[in-house]
Amino acid sequence: MIIDFKDKLLVDDSGKIADQVIAKAEAMAKAVEGNTTFKFQCSCHRLATLAGMPICKDKPPSAPGSAKGSAPPSPPPEGEPAEEVKVPCPTKMVVPQAVMFDIVCDNSGYELFADLCLAHFLISQKIVQKIRFHVKKMPWFVSDVTPRDFKFVVDSCAKASFNRQLPSEPKPEPAEGEAPPEVEPPKFLTSDKLKEIGEQWARYVEDGTFIVLCDDFWTYPHVYRDMKKYDYNMYRKLQYAVAVLFKGDLNYRKLLGERNVNPTVGFEAALQGFMPAPVIALRTVKADLICGLPKGKWELLTKTDDKWMQTGDYG
């Protein structure tokens, strides 16, 4: 059964968002392809790790005047440490090393499964090259995604094994004189496709296409407009994304700084300067703050039900 939630969806910019994400991803892909500025000039491993970027293993360009066919450099003498591989430094980088989309996760279970499906779509359609999932080290609410939850969902899908016969749909009784309807063959629900996609997700995690990050900031008490002040590296990390999708009502509240702004104020203005990358928010309304509504919509809903912002019926 398909339920039409159109009347419950108060702000829907999904079409506009899709166009913007695709356009920015294409522009970033060109920039990444042509960027060599910081590949060999910095070896800041800690900050590169914070940015979730792989170590750059490319060889530096040969020195001016060297022969094209010259032999590779000889290994270091025995007992001396090998030269460290250079990695890009996030504090100096302008262009990231891959086209990335970030998801700041909310609930585990089926909601995380839906997040993984979105990530799979973005990768399979070659819109982006990597997805970074931001999860919590410890749950703020009991259902919040942690690294353990993420692994559990992926493993459960990859190891799924079931084969169930679906109950047949009841047929109307034939009218008098009519032949009874033909008996349909039984239908089965199997785990084949779920197992297939789960195994693909496991490979994505292994090869770095899916990156799971759990930074302390997500369980700090600070609202997001203060991220740059209290955790600059976290803010800098988000700047490498094509866009950042914030899931859930708690993230929405922190995006708005826990402030009751005028309901008609635009989303960007309500963010109060927090814009490390294009921000997307997806929430079910369960707290009495909202922005971006058409004029008169808030008054109309409040007149109909003064607790509409607490019921979880709108998004």
Side-chain angles (χ1 to χ4, degrees):
M1 181 176 65
I2 298 176
I3 302 175
D4 187 0
F5 288 109
K6 188 175 181 180
D7 293 338
K8 304 292 185 180
L9 195 58
L10 303 177
V11 182
D12 180 13
D13 291 328
S14 53
K16 179 181 176 182
I17 290 167
D19 291 340
Q20 290 179 346
V21 168
I22 292 172
K24 182 162 185 182
E26 290 174 349
M28 188 175 287
K30 292 178 181 177
V32 169
E33 186 178 351
N35 178 54
T36 57
T37 308
F38 296 103
K39 279 189 177 179
F40 316 109
Q41 296 180 4
C42 181
S43 57
C44 185
H45 286 261
R46 184 180 69 84
L47 288 176
T49 302
L50 284 172
M53 294 181 299
I55 293 177
C56 178
K57 297 181 180 179
D58 297 341
K59 294 181 180 179
S62 55
S66 61
K68 288 185 178 179
S70 58
S74 57
E78 188 175 350
E80 291 188 14
E83 184 180 353
E84 289 189 1
V85 180
K86 301 297 183 181
V87 296
C89 175
T91 60
K92 298 179 181 178
M93 279 181 55
V94 177
V95 178
Q97 297 295 290
V99 182
M100 297 180 288
F101 184 90
D102 285 19
I103 301 176
V104 182
C105 296
D106 185 29
N107 295 311
S108 187
Y110 184 72
E111 184 174 331
L112 176 57
F113 176 81
D115 297 339
L116 286 161
C117 289
L118 171 63
H120 186 100
F121 172 80
L122 293 172
I123 295 295
S124 64
Q125 296 301 306
K126 303 187 186 306
I127 297 173
V128 299
Q129 297 164 336
K130 293 181 182 292
I131 304 290
R132 297 188 298 185
F133 296 87
H134 297 273
V135 304
K136 295 182 175 69
K137 285 188 176 180
M138 57 179 288
W140 185 295
F141 293 116
V142 68
S143 58
D144 286 338
V145 183
T146 63
R148 182 179 178 181
D149 297 321
F150 190 96
K151 185 177 186 303
F152 175 80
V153 170
V154 172
D155 288 349
S156 296
C157 294
K159 297 175 182 177
S161 177
F162 56 82
N163 188 347
R164 302 170 189 159
Q165 182 175 344
L166 299 176
S168 56
E169 297 181 4
K171 300 290 184 181
E173 291 292 331
E176 188 176 347
E178 289 185 357
E182 294 182 4
V183 178
E184 295 183 356
K187 296 179 181 179
F188 293 89
L189 180 66
T190 70
S191 59
D192 295 346
K193 292 299 181 182
L194 179 61
K195 183 179 176 66
E196 181 182 329
I197 199 171
E199 290 172 346
Q200 180 64 69
W201 292 344
R203 288 193 293 271
Y204 282 159
V205 172
E206 186 176 352
D207 66 20
T209 302
F210 285 176
I211 302 170
V212 182
L213 304 173
C214 56
D215 295 275
D216 292 334
F217 186 84
W218 304 119
T219 47
Y220 284 174
H222 309 301
V223 295
Y224 294 157
R225 71 168 183 270
D226 295 333
M227 180 185 290
K228 190 184 292 187
K229 175 182 177 181
Y230 291 104
D231 194 341
Y232 180 77
N233 286 333
M234 183 74 247
Y235 190 90
R236 186 74 173 127
K237 187 186 302 185
L238 296 180
Q239 287 182 311
Y240 303 135
V242 168
V244 185
L245 171 60
F246 287 86
K247 299 288 301 298
D249 200 60
L250 175 61
N251 278 323
Y252 187 89
R253 286 163 45 195
K254 287 193 165 190
L255 283 170
L256 268 60
E258 298 282 12
R259 291 186 175 185
N260 272 309
V261 298
N262 189 312
T264 60
V265 168
F267 182 56
E268 186 172 342
L271 293 175
Q272 305 161 67
F274 177 74
M275 190 63 71
V279 173
I280 307 166
L282 180 63
R283 54 99 64 140
T284 299
V285 182
K286 292 182 285 188
D288 57 351
L289 71 170
I290 198 169
C291 66
L293 292 183
K295 287 185 178 180
K297 188 68 174 180
W298 187 88
E299 290 80 4
L300 178 63
L301 291 169
T302 303
K303 185 177 180 180
T304 305
D305 180 4
D306 61 354
K307 296 188 182 298
W308 69 271
M309 301 187 81
Q310 303 171 25
T311 60
D313 292 334
Y314 295 89

